[in-house]
Amino acid sequence: MAYESDPTGDLETVLDDAGLKNPSVREYVRHWARLTGAQRVEVVGAADDARLISESLAAGEILPAGEGRYYARSYVKDTARSEERTIVATANPADAGVYNNWRPSSEMRPLLEERMRGASAGKTMYVVPYLMAPPGSPLEPYAVGVELTDHRTVALHMIRMARCGVEHVNNLADPERFVRGVHVTGDLENLGQGTPEDQRYFVTFADERTILHFGSSYGGNALLGKIAHGLRQASYDGWASGEFLAEQFMLIGITDKQSGRTWHICGGFPSASGKTNLAMMLPPDSLGDRYHVEFYGDDIAWLRVDPEDGKIYAINPEFGVFGVAKDTNELTNPTALGSVAPGTGVLFTNVAYNEVSGDVWWEGRTPAPPADVTGWCDWTGQLISARPDSEQGKPWAHPNSRFTTSLTSVPNIAADFENPKGVPIDGIIFGGRTRDREPLIRAFSDLAEGVYDGLTLGAEATFAAEGVDGQLRYDPMSMRPFMSYPEGAYAAHWLKIIGAATVKPIFAHVNWFQRDPDDGHFLWPGYRDNLRPLLWLLKLKDGEVTGNPTPVGIVPAREELDLEGVDIRPEDLEKVLSIDSARWMAEMARRERHLAQFDGLPEEIWAAHRRVAAALAAEAG
Ligand code: GTP
Ligand code: SPV
Ligand code: MN
C-alpha cells in the first residue's frame, strides 16, 4: 500500500488501492508528495491503527506502557505550541487583528514551500483524510480535511483525535471543499527553536483553507485537525460564511436524575486551565446520587443557531482528548484515569516512563514520585537513578505532558455524543486562572455583557505554550492563540450569531483558581466541587434562586450554594463569593486600554463596559 520514491504511476496505484476516489484530494497528494520529496505515500484511517501501532513499536517510535497503552517522547525542544511562530495568512490586509499574527499569504507561501521542499526525503508521507464533526452534522461541509504528515506518531494521534478514513472525502458534494493540511516535521535538532534563527512556521492560510506547519511533531503544532482546522480555520470559516462560531470550549451535559432533566453548558478557559477536568467531572459524593455529568467535548465546540427552534446547538468536532497529565489523579480526575485504562489505546507523551515495567508517572499522579526508582526515566529519557544530585528535584514529567485517548474511552461520554445536530445550550461560561479579584462565579443574562466578559478574560499563562508560565495576560474568549480574524469583527460575529437565538443562554464567569495572598493555597477546593457553582447557575436561570447582584454580575448568596461535604474555610468561602470593588475599579482602566486596541469594536461592547464601570463607581459612592 505504498509507493516507493518518485514515479507517479506507483502513487496512482497506492491511491487506487486505498480507495481514495476524490480527484481533488488525489491531485493535492500528488503535488505535496512531489514538493516534499517523500519516499513513500500511504493513505491511513482508523482501520489502520493496529498495524501502525505495531510498526511504530517495532521502530521504537513508541514504547509499550501496559496492555493497549503506549508512550512516546518528543524532541526536548519540541514540547508545546509556539505562539510566536504561529501565523494567520490571507490575501486581505484587513484580516489583520491584534492577536492573529497576520501576514500576507504572498509572503508566507514561499517561506513554507522553501522549508518543505525535499524535507520529507526518505520518509513516508501519511495521507490522513478526516472529519471534524459528528457525521451528518449541518456543519459537515466545514469539517472535512486531509492532513499529510511525515510523522507516523502524528498519524496515530490524528486517528485518536479525529474521525479518520477515505470515506470522509470520497463523496463530497464539492470535491474541492476540504481543508488542506500539510505537516512536515523537519530536522528537529537543527531548527533553532526559540532563537532568533528559529526556522519553524505554523501557518493557516485561512482564505485558502490551507494549513502548512513546519518544524514540530508536538500537539497543536502537528495534529492539524485539532487547533489549526478545528479552531483557527473553522472560526474564520464561521465568520466568512456568517453561519457559526468555533471556540476553545468544553461542552458538558448535567442531568438531574430526580427530575430527568438535562442541561448543556459550554465554555472557554485558556489552555491548561481545567476544561478537560470540568468535562470529565465526577459529581462530589454528596451530589452523586442526584446528578450526573456527561462529557461531550473538552477543547473545541462549534455553535450555530437552528432556525427552526431558535436554540443554540453545539457540537464537539473532535473524536478524542489531548489532556494535560499533570495533577491528574484519583481525586482530581478519576474519569481521566478511566479514559487511559488498559486497552484504551492511549498514547502518553512526555510523562515519566519506567523502562522495566512500562509504567508511567507524572507530577501529581501520586503525592510523591515512586520510591523505588529502578527503571524510571524522566520525560527526556534520562534514568532518574543517573541524575546528578543537582537535578534530583527536577520534575520527572514535562509540565505540558499529555495523554491522547478517544472519546469512546471516556467513562462519562454522553450517550448521544455523535448526535449530528449537537446539543442545545443553556449556559455559556468563561473562566481563567486568576489568583485574585475574580469570584467563584458571577452570572449575567445580557448577551453584550457576556461577550464583553469573554473579551476581557484575563488569565495567568500556562505551560501549554512555550515560555510564558505564570504571567497575567488578557486572553479574549480564551482564543488569543487561535484568533484568525480581527477582534472587533469577532465580537460583532458573536453578537450576530448568538443574537439570532430566540432561546437565550445564561452567561457566567467562573474562577477555580483564587489563591490566598499569604500562603498561596487555592481558596476553592475545585475539581469535583466545581459542579456546585454550575448547579447554582442553572437554578438562577430557572428562577429558583436570586443571588446577590453586584456591578459585575450576580454572585451566589452563601446559602444558595449546595455546600454539603465541601472542605473550605469560612473566610475563604466568604472571599470567593465577594467582590473587591477597589480591585475591580483598577481592573476597569486596564480593560479600557485592552479593548481600545480593537478596531471596530461594536458599540454594544463599549456600552457594556461603561455600564459595569458606572455601576462600580456608583457603588464606591
Ligand atoms: P488545554 O488542553 O491545554 O486546552 O487545557 P484544559 O483547559 O483542558 O486543561 P486541563 O483540564 O487539562 O487542566 C489543566 C490543569 O489545571 C491540570 O493540571 C489540572 O489539575 C488543573 N485544574 C483543573 N481544574 C482545576 C480546579 O478546579 N482547581 C485547581 N486548583 N486546578 C485545576
Ligand atoms: C491547547 O494548548 O489549548 C491545547 C493543546 O489544547 S494543543 O493541541 O497543543 O494546542
Ligand atoms: Mn486547548
Side-chain angles (χ1 to χ4, degrees):
M1 289 275 280
Y3 101 115
E4 298 287 338
S5 73
D6 213 354
T8 342
D10 288 355
L11 176 54
E12 300 311 316
T13 313
V14 168
L15 302 182
D16 286 345
D17 290 353
L20 183 65
K21 298 197 168 64
N22 182 318
S24 307
V25 174
R26 292 175 69 118
E27 179 48 36
Y28 159 68
V29 174
R30 245 177 247 132
H31 173 82
W32 287 98
R34 253 184 246 123
L35 192 140
T36 61
Q39 189 185 356
R40 303 166 70 251
V41 170
E42 203 180 300
V43 182
V44 299
D48 299 292
D49 191 57
R51 177 178 57 80
L52 292 171
I53 287 278
S54 318
E55 291 173 9
S56 303
L57 285 168
E61 295 158 2
I62 62 172
L63 299 167
E67 192 226 319
R69 307 192 339 152
Y70 310 96
Y71 173 64
R73 290 187 184 104
S74 70
Y75 175 59
V76 288
K77 293 183 189 163
D78 185 30
T79 55
R81 281 182 293 100
S82 163
E83 296 186 1
E84 267 168 40
R85 308 298 301 171
T86 301
I87 287 163
V88 173
T90 67
N92 186 358
D95 286 342
V98 174
Y99 294 126
N100 69 350
N101 237 347
W102 181 88
R103 306 263 190 89
S105 30
S106 57
E107 175 193 322
M108 295 315 299
R109 236 325 152 163
L111 289 178
L112 268 295
E113 291 189 352
E114 179 193 312
R115 282 168 174 72
M116 289 183 168
R117 188 162 287 116
S120 303
K123 294 190 182 179
T124 297
M125 187 174 93
Y126 296 91
V127 177
V128 192
Y130 64 80
L131 183 67
M132 296 301 292
S137 159
L139 296 175
E140 199 175 279
Y142 302 100
V144 183
V146 180
E147 172 162 356
L148 310 178
T149 173
D150 64 3
H151 203 287
R152 186 158 35 200
T153 318
V154 171
L156 288 173
H157 276 95
M158 278 300 289
I159 289 171
R160 280 155 186 71
M161 294 302 298
R163 295 165 174 89
C164 297
V166 291
E167 66 275 20
H168 301 302
V169 295
N170 273 345
N171 302 308
L172 301 181
D174 175 0
E176 275 289 321
R177 193 159 167 186
F178 62 95
V179 169
R180 290 153 168 80
V182 185
H183 166 245
V184 172
T185 305
D187 179 7
L188 294 176
E189 291 176 21
N190 292 294
L191 295 176
Q193 290 92 339
T195 71
E197 284 74 47
D198 205 324
Q199 296 299 303
R200 301 172 298 166
Y201 271 124
F202 309 111
V203 185
T204 298
F205 295 87
D207 54 352
E208 299 174 48
R209 306 193 80 227
T210 295
I211 298 161
L212 304 181
H213 279 206
F214 173 81
S216 166
S217 68
Y218 199 84
N221 292 341
L223 317 176
L224 304 186
K226 185 177 177 55
I227 299 286
H229 180 166
L231 285 177
R232 270 186 217 100
Q233 182 66 55
S235 58
Y236 192 91
D237 288 346
W239 172 56
S241 66
E243 274 190 49
F244 67 105
L245 301 172
E247 303 297 327
Q248 190 188 201
F249 273 7
M250 61 90 216
L251 173 59
I252 56 175
I254 298 176
T255 297
D256 178 347
K257 291 187 259 185
Q258 235 164 55
S259 67
R261 194 162 159 206
T262 297
W263 298 265
H264 299 97
I265 294 181
C266 62
F269 317 154
S271 304
S273 297
K275 293 183 298 297
T276 303
N277 279 270
L278 196 65
M280 291 187 170
M281 183 168 51
L282 197 66
D285 289 335
S286 67
L287 295 176
D289 289 342
R290 172 133 185 216
Y291 295 101
H292 175 62
V293 177
E294 293 157 299
F295 183 109
Y296 287 91
D298 75 327
D299 201 45
I300 305 180
W302 292 2
L303 277 64
R304 54 179 267 281
V305 172
D306 189 296
E308 280 183 10
D309 61 13
K311 291 184 185 166
I312 303 163
Y313 284 84
I315 58 163
N316 170 16
E318 303 198 87
F319 190 62
V321 174
F322 184 54
V324 175
K326 188 173 188 297
D327 288 334
T328 302
N329 60 50
E330 285 79 2
L331 290 176
T332 59
N333 197 344
T335 315
L337 295 180
S339 78
V340 302
T344 53
V346 61
L347 257 166
F348 294 99
T349 308
N350 289 349
V351 297
Y353 178 72
N354 189 306
E355 56 185 24
V356 178
S357 64
D359 284 343
V360 291
W361 190 85
W362 50 82
E363 272 61 34
R365 172 69 190 84
T366 48
D372 177 1
V373 300
T374 313
W376 280 105
C377 299
D378 69 14
W379 68 275
T380 68
Q382 187 186 34
L383 272 170
I384 299 295
S385 58
R387 278 182 161 186
D389 277 352
S390 61
E391 289 184 7
Q392 286 301 338
K394 273 189 9 190
W396 289 21
H398 188 278
N400 192 38
S401 58
R402 294 197 177 232
F403 57 87
T404 310
T405 196
S406 283
L407 294 188
T408 48
S409 296
V410 175
N412 69 329
I413 188 72
D416 61 342
F417 82 100
E418 304 224 78
N419 180 349
K421 189 172 181 182
V423 290
I425 293 300
D426 299 285
I428 298 181
I429 63 179
F430 293 109
R433 278 176 185 269
T434 319
R435 60 176 64 227
D436 62 0
R437 183 176 50 83
E438 279 293 359
L440 179 62
I441 185 167
R442 49 188 180 85
F444 18 82
S445 48
D446 179 66
L447 168 60
E449 231 158 280
V451 177
Y452 165 69
D453 185 69
L455 290 172
T456 50
L457 197 157
E460 292 159 30
T462 69
F463 282 107
E466 292 170 349
V468 286
D469 193 53
Q471 264 165 258
L472 255 163
R473 61 174 195 174
Y474 287 109
D475 186 343
M477 309 306 241
S478 71
M479 284 289 280
R480 176 176 173 141
F482 315 117
M483 279 285 176
S484 57
Y485 62 99
E487 292 76 8
Y490 193 98
H493 185 52
W494 255 84
L495 294 175
K496 173 185 147 179
I497 294 286
I498 303 298
T502 51
V503 183
K504 302 285 185 210
I506 189 162
F507 290 89
H509 191 106
V510 300
N511 181 28
W512 324 139
F513 298 95
Q514 202 174 153
R515 290 178 188 248
D516 183 279
D518 297 326
D519 65 10
H521 78 267
F522 288 109
L523 300 185
W524 174 250
Y527 298 106
R528 297 171 66 175
D529 287 319
N530 296 338
L531 181 60
R532 302 173 192 271
L534 298 186
L535 291 173
W536 172 83
L537 181 68
L538 296 170
K539 281 194 196 145
L540 182 72
K541 186 174 189 230
D542 284 350
E544 289 171 36
V545 294
T546 52
N548 292 324
T550 81
V552 291
I554 301 171
V555 299
R558 202 189 137 97
E559 62 282 1
E560 292 171 350
L561 270 182
D562 184 330
L563 292 169
E564 195 194 329
V566 185
D567 183 15
I568 187 168
R569 301 182 201 167
E571 63 272 27
D572 288 353
L573 180 62
E574 169 85 35
K575 191 144 184 218
V576 299
L577 295 182
S578 56
I579 302 295
D580 177 347
S581 297
R583 182 70 186 71
W584 269 96
M585 301 268 279
E587 166 65 10
M588 295 309 281
R590 274 198 297 278
R591 285 187 170 190
E592 192 139 336
R593 286 194 296 276
H594 164 66
L595 293 177
Q597 302 174 91
F598 306 143
D599 283 341
L601 195 67
E603 181 49 34
E604 291 99 308
I605 304 297
W606 280 118
H609 175 73
R610 286 193 297 266
R611 266 200 312 278
V612 175
L616 280 165
E619 200 189 58

